[in-house]
Amino acid sequence: MEKRVIEYAGIPVGISVPDGDRVKFIAVKFPVIDLDGGTYRNIVELQLAIHDHMKKNGGDGQAMFSHAANALSGSPARKAFNAA
């Protein structure tokens, strides 16, 4: 496992870092701050947690993501994982 940038709707919201055989999430955007420090079995489980969190908290800071969610993705060469 390696460190990865985690994006939601094309906007970086945190990073994942290896934590033993798990993945730890470090949030860098307020809308996902409740997930900061959480550990997950893998990137897919982290992706689902972010997606569910953002869905539940629809009005909490998501305006910044509305435009990005409908925009084209960035370069595939970037080591970023889109959780949207």
Side-chain angles (χ1 to χ4, degrees), residues 8-69:
Y8 181 82
I11 297 174
V13 295
I15 62 170
S16 67
V17 294
D19 188 21
D21 62 346
R22 298 177 65 85
V23 174
K24 185 173 186 172
F25 179 64
I26 300 172
V28 297
K29 294 289 185 191
F30 183 74
V32 294
I33 199 72
D34 292 341
L35 302 177
D36 186 55
T39 59
Y40 303 89
R41 286 178 284 189
N42 51 46
I43 292 289
V44 173
E45 187 176 69
L46 172 56
Q47 171 193 20
L48 292 172
I50 293 170
H51 183 75
D52 290 346
H53 176 76
M54 295 300 285
K55 201 170 175 182
K56 274 194 273 183
N57 298 299
D60 187 19
Q62 281 199 48
M64 66 187 273
F65 298 113
S66 63
H67 181 271

